[in-house]
Amino acid sequence: MPYDPSAFPPFAVTVDLVVLTVRRHSLCALAVRRGEPPFQGRWALPGGFVRSDEDLATAAARELAEETGLHVLHDPACPATANAAHLEQLATYGDPKRDPRMRVVSVAHLALAPDLPAPRAGGDAHSVRWAPVEDLLDRDGHARDGEQAAPLAFDHARILADGVERARSKIEYSSLATAFCPQEFTVGELRRVYEAVWGVALDPRNFHRKVTGTPGFLVPTGGTTTRQGGRPAQLFRAGGATLLNPPMLRPEA
Amino acid sequence: MPYDPSAFPPFAVTVDLVVLTVRRHSLCALAVRRGEPPFQGRWALPGGFVRSDEDLATAAARELAEETGLHVLHDPACPATANAAHLEQLATYGDPKRDPRMRVVSVAHLALAPDLPAPRAGGDAHSVRWAPVEDLLDRDGHARDGEQAAPLAFDHARILADGVERARSKIEYSSLATAFCPQEFTVGELRRVYEAVWGVALDPRNFHRKVTGTPGFLVPTGGTTTRQGGRPAQLFRAGGATLLNPPMLRPEA
DNA sequence: CTGTTTATCGTCAAGCAGACGACTATGATC
DNA sequence: GATCATAGTCGTCTGCTTGACGATAAACAG
């Protein structure tokens, strides 16, 4: 009964991307404006069809490159080309009514990238932008510039919320927060990543003790920088560890 | 360019199930024997096509019920019917070559169930069984009864490994381990779940202190039981908490 | 030179985890 | 019934981690 090659309902399969970065102390996601119905003119997550000979991860990496110019950091040993991002599968959404035109199953992926100079719009510049995730998820009005009062297209608000939640929890027990930083970064910059993603303030002294004391998290490069003002800070690079033990603790309440 | 309703490659979409339980102190998964090519005669994970009007979670719940008679525990307030299981989406597998016949994208789901009296085979009894996950994943020989030397069909070994890994990590920070227990259970039974899933031995006294001290994890029912031998043990029911803070700590090394 | 900013080191108390002793309440065995 | 084996439950002690926070260091702005 299963796997009858002639009798199965056909589906369209897409990948959608939750691309997150930290800009100006807030967590931002990449949004594209839809140029055609349905949801014409509304903001949506970038994505597209999976090609017939393409793996899901390959399709996600292709869409990411098309949309942002970012490349996926495959090999942890390779110290990352300039525009490197972390990419992982997030979840799959297949409600029969999620696309009014046809049955579409979307395999959402989560990408984390350092703050980039420009969104590098694929076609026209003002159809792609970084937006704070609160703005994209807040449908309860108080749109501050009157632009994004409308919620995201399709079920993309839920996908984005799931991606943000994944990122928030994953930086607790993994070294993924370094994916938001440039290749070399300071402890303060890493702390501001945690503060932006979690939306809390962290004690700089305890944070410094914690991350420098976790083996494999950070390796000093020897250099220092003063780009944040104040006393020069040591520069670090992400260490080999991917899982942090003990984990970073997110303040409660 | 995206979402052209007339031009997209068609996919078959299936759900595959990693159904885990704890039997006789070891973590077991449900396996079905394939009755037709490809991989005829090999063991595989249960699964089937998603119907054209069906949500992914619905399809997974349907397959689970067909294969095991288990029903999904939807409402945490409802104290679970007799055969209740936890069900969640695991990951999606879409390698173009994962099925030799056609392009199949499989949305794998993870189900956790208490030890059941009988596997409740759908059709013929000996085509469905519980097998220790080590037996199903160990392809390096030493098959103890000469039966499961062959690896699982398709990419099901990887799916199973991912599901086991998800279960192992998720019982650390959530109360999911109670999904392996009957409605009422003792601290010792819960500890044996952790020991079986993690494959370690835990100190009964520290474990008892920890789980009874975590708010919302366990609520005493008032009853006691002596089904494990020895001194009668208090019976508990799963509390409302789903996230454990602080988490259970898996011994390292 | 003084104030401001950020980085970094130290101290201290509270809490939690691992190791482990001690006691309790059953059933099994002699 | 005494004894033993088995599980369960309660305590104690010690070391480590954490959170709160004081203090110092090194840059820049006026």
Side-chain angles (χ1 to χ4, degrees), chain A residues 137-191:
Chain A
L137 292 176
D138 242 14
R139 67 188 58 233
D140 302 339
H142 61 75
R144 65 196 74 182
D145 56 359
E147 174 131 44
Q148 62 279 23
L152 290 173
F154 304 107
D155 52 359
H156 288 186
R158 187 155 110 73
I159 298 176
L160 174 60
D162 290 349
V164 169
E165 185 47 42
R166 168 84 65 97
R168 285 192 173 136
S169 68
K170 207 153 180 182
I171 64 173
E172 286 188 56
Y173 57 89
S174 80
S175 61
L176 257 190
T178 59
F180 287 115
C181 295
Q183 269 191 262
E184 295 198 342
F185 54 89
T186 69
V187 173
E189 289 165 343
L190 184 62
R191 175 170 48 82

Side-chain angles (χ1 to χ4, degrees), chain B residues 207-219 241 243-248:
Chain B
F207 183 87
H208 187 278
R209 176 182 60 190
K210 175 77 185 200
V211 295
T212 56
T214 299
F217 196 4
L218 302 181
V219 295
L243 255 48
L244 303 181
N245 205 332
M248 304 292 297

Side-chain angles (χ1 to χ4, degrees), chain B residues 168-181:
Chain B
R168 284 191 174 137
S169 67
K170 207 152 181 185
I171 64 173
E172 285 188 56
Y173 57 88
S174 81
S175 61
L176 257 190
T178 58
F180 286 115
C181 296

Side-chain angles (χ1 to χ4, degrees), chain A residues 3-4 8-13 34 36 49-56 89 91-92 94-96 99 101-103, chain B residues 2-3 8-13 34 49-56 89 91-92 94-96 99 101-103:
Chain A
Y3 292 111
D4 178 341
F8 64 89
F11 290 75
V13 175
R34 287 185 57 78
E36 56 209 273
F49 287 104
V50 177
R51 295 177 182 166
S52 55
D53 60 344
E54 201 178 36
D55 191 13
L56 300 174
Q89 196 187 103
T92 300
D95 187 294
D99 189 312
R101 293 159 301 173
M102 55 184 170
R103 187 69 201 267
Chain B
Y3 293 111
F8 63 90
F11 290 75
V13 175
R34 287 187 56 78
F49 287 103
V50 176
R51 297 178 181 164
S52 55
D53 58 344
E54 201 180 36
D55 192 14
L56 300 175
Q89 195 185 105
T92 300
D95 187 295
D99 188 311
R101 294 160 300 174
M102 56 184 169
R103 187 70 200 269

Side-chain angles (χ1 to χ4, degrees), chain A residues 203 205-206 209-210 226 230-232 246-247 249 251:
Chain A
D203 185 289
R205 299 156 291 190
N206 292 336
R209 176 183 61 188
K210 175 77 186 204
T226 171
R231 171 175 165 180
L249 289 186

Side-chain angles (χ1 to χ4, degrees), chain A residues 16 25 31 33 45 73 76 93 125 144 188 191-192 195 236:
Chain A
D16 284 324
H25 283 211
R33 195 194 288 275
L45 299 178
L73 175 54
Y93 301 83
R144 65 196 74 182
R191 175 170 48 82
R192 281 180 274 277
E195 291 178 333
F236 293 87

